[in-house]
Amino acid sequence: MPAAATALDLKEEILALKKARNAVILVHNYQSGDIQDLGDYVGDSLGLAYHAKSTDADVIAFCGVHFMAETAKIVNPSKIVVLPDADAGCSLEQSCPAPQLEAYLKEHADKNYYVIAYINCSAGVKALCDVICTSGNAVKIVNKAPADRPILFVPDANLGAWVMEQTGRKMDLWQGSCYVHVEFTRDSINRIKAEYPEALVVAHPECTQAVRLLADEVCSTEKMITFCQNAPVKDIIVVTESGMLHRLRKECPDKNLIPGPTDRCACADCRYMKMNTLQKLRDCLANLEPRVEMEESIRARAEAPLLRMLEQSK
C-alpha cells in the first residue's frame, strides 16, 4: 500500500479485511477517535472482557494495550488475537512483574493472601491471583472476597486505596500506578475548577487521593458516560486519559466536556494507547501479526480468576 494512503482508504481496507477474516474489532475507550469509530465494540476493560469471551469471530483485533489483548487470548485460546502494535504496554503492568509477585507471595506464605489483581497486569500475574477486577467492578469483587483471609491488591495502589474507602475492607496494596493518572494534581484540577466554577468533576479511581477528593464522582470510564448524560449541569471536567473525550462527546453531545489538565498540559495522552494507528490496524488484519501467544499452563491458570471475575460481576 502506498505510504500516502488516506484515512478513508485505510478505513475501507480495514472494513474489507475485517469481513474477509471474519474478525471483530474491539476498542478501548482510550484509543484515538478514528480507531474508536471503526470498533465493533468500544468500552472499558470489563465490557471488553465480556465481548472477547462471547465473540464468535475467528480473529480478534484488539485495539488497546498488550494486557488487554492477552486477556482476550486467555478466554479465547483457539482464536487468533492480534494487536496493532506489540509494544503497546502499560505502566501498571510493568510495575508488577510476575516473578516479583511470586517471590513476594512465597516470602509471605504464612499470610495466606487472597490475591485480587486489577486487570491491568500480565497473564503471568493473573495466573498467581484468586480473582481479577476492573475499575468498574472492583468494589463488588472486594466485597465478595473471603472475610477470613487478608487481601493483597495488585498492582494499582490508587485504585486499591479508593476501593478500601468504598468497602471499609483493609487490604495490603502493591505500590504500582498509572503514569497518566498520577500526572493529574490537586493544583491542576483546582485551576480548571476556578475557570469553570459551575462544572462538575468526574475522575477515574487510578487518580491520586488528592485528586479524587476534588471529584463529584469517581468511577470507571464506562460509568462516566451515564454520569455525564445525567449531570444537571452543562460543564463537566473529565479527569482521565484523553481518548475518553471522543466517546463522551458522541454520547453526550449536549455537554461541554473539559479535559482535566495536568501541571504540564491540557491533555493526558497515554503513549502506549496512542501507539496503535489505522495503518497498524490495517496491517495486523492483513498479516494476522503481531499475534498474542502464551504458554498453555499460564493461560489456563490465568483463565480461572478471569472467569471468576465475570461470574461475580453479573
Side-chain angles (χ1 to χ4, degrees):
M1 156 172 288
T6 67
L8 185 60
D9 292 335
L10 283 170
K11 287 175 183 174
E12 288 176 353
E13 253 200 282
I14 288 164
L15 293 173
L17 283 163
K18 184 183 85 163
K19 188 175 181 182
R21 297 293 195 193
N22 187 29
V24 65
I25 300 174
L26 301 182
V27 182
H28 190 270
N29 287 321
Y30 294 162
Q31 293 290 286
S32 59
D34 54 359
I35 292 178
Q36 288 190 39
D37 291 344
L38 283 174
D40 295 294
Y41 176 79
V42 182
D44 65 358
S45 295
L46 180 59
L48 289 164
Y50 276 118
H51 275 74
K53 180 80 176 74
S54 64
T55 185
D56 57 3
D58 297 319
V59 175
I60 300 172
F62 210 113
C63 299
V65 292
H66 189 265
F67 78 80
M68 296 176 177
E70 227 180 26
T71 301
K73 184 65 176 179
I74 289 167
V75 294
N76 288 287
S78 63
K79 296 187 190 300
I80 294 170
V81 178
V82 290
L83 179 66
D85 192 315
D87 294 325
C90 170
S91 59
L92 272 167
E93 178 182 347
Q94 293 158 10
S95 73
C96 186
Q100 200 173 324
L101 176 59
E102 188 170 25
Y104 183 88
L105 291 173
K106 281 181 180 170
E107 185 184 344
H108 300 279
D110 57 311
K111 293 199 172 181
N112 188 29
Y113 274 123
Y114 186 79
V115 185
I116 300 178
Y118 186 30
I119 200 167
N120 297 39
C121 63
S122 67
V125 166
K126 289 180 176 73
L128 294 166
C129 296
D130 292 285
V131 67
I132 308 303
C133 74
T134 70
S135 57
N137 66 14
V139 169
K140 182 181 281 191
I141 296 294
V142 169
N143 278 331
K144 291 187 177 183
D148 59 345
R149 289 178 66 186
I151 296 173
L152 176 65
F153 189 93
V154 304
D156 192 322
N158 288 313
L159 174 63
W162 176 74
V163 172
M164 283 201 289
E165 293 163 12
Q166 303 304 303
T167 62
R169 183 75 188 265
K170 168 88 172 68
M171 303 191 294
D172 290 341
L173 305 178
W174 194 270
Q175 292 303 305
S177 64
C178 166
Y179 91 91
V180 176
H181 284 93
V182 297
E183 287 188 348
F184 299 111
T185 67
R186 181 175 56 197
D187 289 347
S188 72
I189 301 308
N190 272 329
R191 279 196 299 273
I192 195 76
K193 284 183 73 170
E195 278 185 56
Y196 298 91
E198 302 302 314
L200 294 178
V201 178
V202 60
H204 196 278
E206 289 177 20
C207 295
T208 64
Q209 184 187 40
V211 170
R212 297 196 307 269
L213 287 171
L214 295 174
D216 297 282
E217 182 75 10
V218 178
C219 61
S220 69
T221 52
E222 208 60 30
K223 290 175 183 172
M224 285 182 183
I225 293 165
T226 49
F227 174 81
C228 291
Q229 286 172 334
N230 298 329
V233 300
K234 186 175 179 66
D235 294 342
I236 304 169
I237 298 163
V238 181
V239 188
T240 192
E241 205 274 346
S242 61
M244 190 62 203
L245 272 294
H246 180 80
R247 171 108 186 263
L248 283 170
R249 284 172 179 143
K250 288 173 74 172
E251 306 254 2
C252 312
D254 59 326
K255 303 295 186 184
N256 178 32
L257 298 158
I258 304 146
T262 69
D263 283 329
R264 297 184 301 105
C265 64
C267 62
D269 287 345
C270 172
R271 62 177 177 269
Y272 300 112
M273 284 285 183
K274 299 307 191 270
M275 290 172 80
N276 295 320
T277 64
L278 286 181
Q279 181 71 57
K280 291 175 184 175
L281 174 56
R282 177 260 170 213
D283 292 347
C284 82
L285 283 168
N287 305 322
L288 296 182
E289 294 285 347
R291 293 193 194 193
V292 176
E293 306 285 4
M294 70 193 75
E295 290 179 26
E296 174 56 22
S297 60
I298 291 175
R299 189 209 66 78
R301 284 164 57 209
E303 184 177 33
L306 259 174
L307 295 181
R308 193 168 293 126
M309 173 190 81
L310 296 177
E311 181 60 35
Q312 290 185 9
S313 299
K314 286 178 179 173

